[in-house]
Amino acid sequence: MNWGDRDFMAPGRSLAVGDRGMAATSHPQATLAAVEMLRAGGNAVDAAIAAVALQGVIDPHMTGIGGDCFAIYAPANGKPVAINGSGRAPAKAELGWFLAQGLTSIAEESPHAVTVPGAVDAWCKLAADHGTKSLDEILAPAIRAAEDGFVVTPRAGLDWARYAGRIETHRTGIAAYLPGGKAPATGDRLNHPALARTLRRIAREGRAAFYDGEVAVEIVAALKGLGGLMELDDLASASADYVEPIGADYRGHRLWECPPNGQGVAALLIARLLEGFDMSDTGLSEADRIHLLAEATKAAYRQRDALVADPAFKPLDVETLLSDASIAAMRSGIDRKRASAPEAFDMPVHRDTVYVAVADRDGNVVSFINSIFAAFGSGIYAPRSGVLLQNRGAGFRLIEGHPNAIAPRKRPFHTIIPGLLAKNGKPAMALGVMGGQYQSTGHMQILTGLLDRGLDIQQASNEPRSFAFDGELKLETTIAPAVAEDLAARGHRITWADEPLGGCQIVYVDHTRGVMYGASDHRKDGIALAA
C-alpha cells in the first residue's frame, strides 16, 4: 500500500502514519494510553488492555469490568490466537424456571439479563500469556482516571444524556454516573473512587480480586436482591477460553474472525458472497453497491440468526457453511435489481461497545472489543465495588428449541466482533466497527472500500454507511436522496438513520515498507496515533 495522496479540502480526518507502533480507539485518552504503553516498551497486548480498561472508566455507558470481551492477537510471524471473554448464564438459569414465571423474554433492566462478566478474566489471561507488562502497569491509566478524575468528551456526553434513564431505573448508580441527579455535560469532570479501588485490587491480585471475595459477594447480593439467580460459584468458575479463529478469503487476503457464540461468521459469509461480484467495477453506482451489500447482509444474517449460538450447546460446522456449494446456493438468491423479502429480527438491538486496534513496533497486532451490551448495561450497580453490570443475557430467548434459549452456564449470542486481516500469512490489519448488529456488515463495508475501491483506511471509514436489518434498509443522511429513491425502486424499505451507523477503528501494517497506518471514525470522539 502507498496511501497518502488525497484531497485535503474534502471532509474527513487525516490518515495517521508511523513506523514504531500505532493505536486507534474511540476516545483520545484511550489512544494516548495505548501509545504511552507502546513507548514504555509494552507490546500490542499490553497497550490494548490499557486502553480498554481506561475506557471502562471514561466511557462507562459503553464498557467496563462488568462486561465481556473478545480479542484476536496476531504475532508478526505466527498464527493468530483468539480469546472468548464472554460470560455465561448462572447455573440455576433453567429455561423451565423462566417459563414457570410466565416470562416470554428477558428485560434489559432485569437481573436475569446479567451474565457473568467475562472481561476481567480475559484481560488477566491475555496479559499473563502474551503481554510483557504487569497488571499494575497496564491498569495504571484506568486507576489514575478513576481516582483523579476525567473530563467528559462530546460524543460520550451526548450518549450519556440520551441513555441516563437506564441508571435511573435501579438508582444505585446515580451518585456515580448522574452527579447532582443529571447526566454530565461535555467538559464536566468526574471521578469514580469505588471503581478505582477495585481496579487497584485487580492490579494487585489478578482475577481473584473480581471473581472471589468482597467484589463477588457484592455483585451476587445486588442481583439476588432483585430476584436474580447468580451465585458466588458462577463468578468463581468464570473462565475466558482461547479459541481457533475462523477465516475466509477476500481479494487475496484472509479475513479472521472469532468463532460462535459471536457473529463473526456472518462477516465471513458476506465476504464470500460479495467475492462473487466485481465490486471494483467502476460502472457500479452507489445504489448498486449498497444494494449488493444489503442483499449479502440479509442472506448472511438469515444463517446467523438460525445457527449462531454457544457451540457447547449447538455446534456449527463453519467449514460447510462457508463452502463453495453453500455460498453458491445463497448467492443465487441475490438479484442485482430487486430486493429480497425483508425479515423481522427477534433479538434485542445493541449499539454500545468500545473497540481498540493496536500494532507494536515488532508488527504484532491486536484486535480487541469490549462491551456491557446496552448503554449502561443493565443499570444494576454494585456501589462499594464500582461495578456496573452488563445485560448481555437479554439476548437469550425463552423459547424451547431456540438456538439461543437460556440454559445453565450457557453463553448468549454475541454481536461484538474483532476482525483481523492477513496478507501472505502476516497480520495486515486490525479492524472493528462498533454498532451492535451492524458489525458484521460494517467489517465488509470497510473491506470492500479498501480492497475493491482502492480507498485508504481513513477514507473507507469516512464513507457513508447503510445497513439492511429488521425489514429496513437504513441509510446515513450523507447519502443522496436520489440514491435512496433508486434503492426504494428496487423494493427496499428505506429509513434514514437518526444516529451514526457504527464507529470504526483501524490499524494497518505494511510489512513491505515497514509503515503503519491508523484510522479513527469521525462518528466518535476517538483518534489514531503513531507511537
Side-chain angles (χ1 to χ4, degrees):
M1 297 291 178
N2 189 8
W3 296 322
D5 295 331
R6 58 188 298 266
D7 179 4
F8 284 92
M9 294 299 290
R13 298 178 175 180
S14 295
L15 190 68
V17 186
D19 61 0
R20 300 179 184 180
M22 182 69 67
T25 85
S26 56
H27 196 292
Q29 291 302 311
T31 302
L32 186 59
V35 167
E36 288 177 341
M37 180 61 68
L38 294 175
R39 289 174 176 170
N43 70 1
V45 170
D46 303 320
I49 299 172
V52 160
L54 175 59
Q55 286 200 261
V57 178
I58 61 183
D59 267 341
H61 56 295
M62 292 285 186
T63 194
I65 59 175
D68 286 345
C69 73
F70 291 83
I72 303 176
Y73 168 58
N77 294 298
K79 188 177 179 181
V81 175
I83 192 164
N84 183 333
S86 66
R88 297 171 171 87
K92 291 184 177 179
E94 296 276 1
L95 176 59
W97 182 90
F98 291 91
L99 297 178
Q101 312 305 307
L103 297 173
T104 58
S105 64
I106 298 175
E108 293 188 359
E109 301 87 357
S110 164
H112 306 307
V114 182
T115 47
V116 174
V120 171
D121 189 74
W123 296 358
C124 294
K125 190 167 289 187
L126 273 174
D129 295 343
H130 299 288
T132 63
K133 296 289 188 179
S134 67
L135 278 177
D136 188 57
E137 292 173 279
I138 292 170
L139 297 181
I143 293 168
R144 187 164 55 248
E147 285 182 342
D148 299 340
F150 61 94
V151 175
V152 176
T153 51
R155 179 62 195 270
L158 176 69
D159 291 338
W160 212 309
R162 179 175 292 178
Y163 300 112
R166 183 59 54 84
I167 293 297
E168 293 168 342
T169 300
H170 295 290
R171 304 198 64 78
T172 51
I174 286 179
Y177 296 111
L178 304 177
K182 63 180 181 179
T186 300
D188 283 352
R189 187 175 184 83
L190 279 78
N191 65 353
H192 201 160
L195 179 56
R197 289 192 295 272
T198 296
L199 288 168
R200 280 200 176 278
R201 289 187 61 182
I202 295 169
R204 185 172 62 248
E205 303 167 24
R207 72 172 301 283
F210 186 86
Y211 296 100
D212 301 297
E214 294 177 10
V215 174
V217 167
E218 189 187 13
I219 289 171
V220 169
L223 293 171
K224 294 184 81 170
L226 295 169
L229 303 174
M230 191 84 70
E231 300 286 353
L232 287 172
D233 185 59
D234 294 313
L235 286 163
S237 62
S239 177
D241 302 317
Y242 286 114
V243 290
E244 284 284 328
I246 55 177
D249 292 336
Y250 190 75
R251 314 300 190 216
H253 294 71
R254 187 74 170 172
L255 175 61
W256 293 108
E257 301 277 354
C258 291
N261 53 313
Q263 66 165 331
V265 67
L268 301 181
L269 283 167
I270 298 170
R272 294 279 283 124
L273 290 166
L274 289 183
E275 195 161 36
F277 300 95
D278 184 3
M279 302 296 286
S280 64
D281 181 359
T282 56
L284 288 179
S285 67
E286 185 175 8
D288 290 332
R289 295 181 186 282
I290 292 172
H291 172 76
L292 288 172
L293 179 63
E295 293 306 296
T297 292
K298 287 191 281 186
Y301 278 42
R302 290 184 193 109
Q303 300 297 318
R304 183 200 75 163
D305 296 348
L307 300 173
V308 174
D310 185 339
F313 290 78
K314 185 180 179 182
L316 176 60
D317 185 347
V318 173
E319 185 175 345
T320 297
L321 183 62
L322 295 174
S323 67
D324 289 345
S326 173
I327 294 300
M330 280 184 263
R331 194 184 289 135
S332 68
I334 297 178
D335 186 320
R336 288 175 174 268
K337 296 300 181 183
R338 294 299 304 169
S340 58
E343 293 188 16
F345 178 73
D346 73 342
M347 287 188 277
V349 175
H350 160 233
R351 298 186 180 91
D352 303 290
T353 299
V354 301
Y355 171 79
V356 172
V358 183
D360 60 33
R361 68 175 64 228
D362 297 319
N364 306 307
V365 176
V366 173
S367 185
F368 202 118
I369 199 160
N370 215 102
S371 175
I372 56 172
F373 196 46
F376 294 110
S378 63
I380 299 171
Y381 176 72
R384 292 193 306 278
S385 305
V387 179
L388 182 63
L389 294 163
Q390 66 179 17
N391 60 345
R392 183 61 63 173
F396 282 125
R397 302 293 83 192
L398 302 184
I399 302 170
E400 194 77 51
H402 193 286
N404 281 293
I406 196 167
R409 299 283 167 84
K410 184 176 183 178
R411 284 170 159 150
F413 167 88
H414 258 268
T415 52
I416 60 174
I417 53 170
L420 189 129
L421 195 70
K423 176 73 171 175
N424 299 326
K426 288 181 175 288
M429 184 168 76
L431 80 154
V433 187
M434 302 161 282
Q437 306 296 338
Y438 170 73
Q439 292 184 45
S440 294
T441 300
H443 282 200
M444 283 312 302
Q445 198 152 17
I446 295 298
L447 286 186
T448 189
L450 178 68
L451 301 180
D452 292 314
R453 299 174 61 196
L455 304 178
D456 69 39
I457 54 175
Q458 186 62 60
Q459 291 168 335
S461 174
N462 293 343
E463 286 287 286
R465 294 182 185 150
S466 60
F467 184 32
F469 181 70
D470 199 18
E472 299 175 344
L473 178 54
K474 187 166 287 189
L475 306 178
E476 288 190 330
T477 54
T478 47
I479 292 173
V483 174
E485 291 170 8
D486 184 328
L487 292 163
R490 302 183 197 212
H492 294 285
R493 185 157 72 90
I494 303 299
T495 60
W496 293 101
D498 60 357
E499 60 182 9
L501 292 176
C504 180
Q505 312 295 326
I506 310 174
V507 164
Y508 189 98
V509 180
D510 185 336
H511 292 278
T512 302
R513 302 178 69 212
V515 178
M516 299 174 184
Y517 302 92
S520 183
D521 207 320
H522 65 282
R523 298 165 180 86
K524 296 284 185 178
D525 290 325
I527 192 171
L529 286 176

